[in-house]
Amino acid sequence: MFRPQPIAPLPGQESVWDYPRPPRLEPCDQQIIIIFNGITLVESRRSYRVLETSHPPSYYIPPEDIKMEYLHPTNQQSFCEWKGPANYYTIMVGDKQAVNVAWCYPNPTPEFAPIKDYLAFYVSPMDECLVNGEKVTPQPGGFYGGWITSDIVGPFKGVAGSWGW
């Protein structure tokens, strides 16, 4: 099996290859902003980051910091071996919608209990996702929901040939 060569982090950067497996949950006071169809859906400094080997962080935001009137539950579900069953949401703002682009864990495993009902968002369908004012790049591949910023180095799971990492 192909083993990726981690990129050496510079001062102030983190390598996703130093993140643990199983993943770690940590509180995050960085400013998280998400804009969709011109509306700021999220503004928070009370999120959590999930850090997992080979993945850029996913951010989970408390529903109190989200304009929940634009989010509508769907029948989509998935299962994470670490966090448990997830439920999904579609965002509708004006004449624009993005289907199954936010998810939460209503009954997470005990290790991830702090993110109960917090929501995470895919980057690609949004106008912008920002961490401390920096525009986020989506994790490659469309399956995972990681957020790449200049202080995170890879290579990142999701690129072609990375399924077995």
Side-chain angles (χ1 to χ4, degrees):
M1 177 170 73
F2 168 76
R3 300 303 294 169
Q5 284 298 114
I7 297 168
L10 299 173
Q13 290 183 317
E14 300 173 352
S15 170
V16 297
W17 293 93
D18 293 331
Y19 293 165
R21 186 163 174 87
R24 177 175 74 236
L25 181 66
E26 67 178 33
C28 177
D29 64 0
Q30 294 176 303
Q31 184 186 46
I32 305 298
I33 293 176
I34 299 174
I35 301 167
F36 182 78
N37 204 22
I39 298 291
T40 300
L41 291 177
V42 170
E43 189 165 350
S44 183
R45 288 188 175 273
R46 303 180 305 145
S47 65
Y48 280 89
R49 294 191 320 161
V50 173
L51 307 177
E52 181 176 358
T53 304
S54 77
H55 296 267
S58 294
Y59 291 84
Y60 287 80
I61 297 119
E64 300 81 26
D65 294 348
I66 301 168
K67 292 184 178 172
M68 292 298 295
E69 65 268 24
Y70 295 111
L71 277 72
H72 306 278
T74 71
N75 291 326
Q76 177 75 22
Q77 295 186 318
S78 64
F79 183 81
C80 172
E81 65 183 308
W82 312 114
K83 296 181 283 296
N87 294 338
Y88 287 75
Y89 291 82
T90 289
I91 298 172
M92 289 189 276
V93 175
D95 62 349
K96 187 176 178 184
Q97 78 170 4
V99 178
N100 295 323
V101 296
W103 67 96
C104 73
Y105 294 92
N107 296 298
T109 60
E111 296 82 9
F112 288 89
I115 62 168
K116 176 181 172 37
D117 296 326
Y118 279 43
L119 281 86
F121 294 79
Y122 286 110
V123 172
S124 291
M126 304 303 144
D127 295 352
E128 283 188 309
C129 294
L130 304 160
V131 176
N132 281 344
E134 180 183 347
K135 188 172 181 176
V136 172
T137 300
Q139 182 173 4
F143 178 75
Y144 302 105
W147 292 28
I148 301 171
T149 54
S150 61
D151 57 350
I152 308 294
V153 297
F156 305 110
K157 187 164 182 144
V159 297
S162 67
W163 191 253
W165 290 1

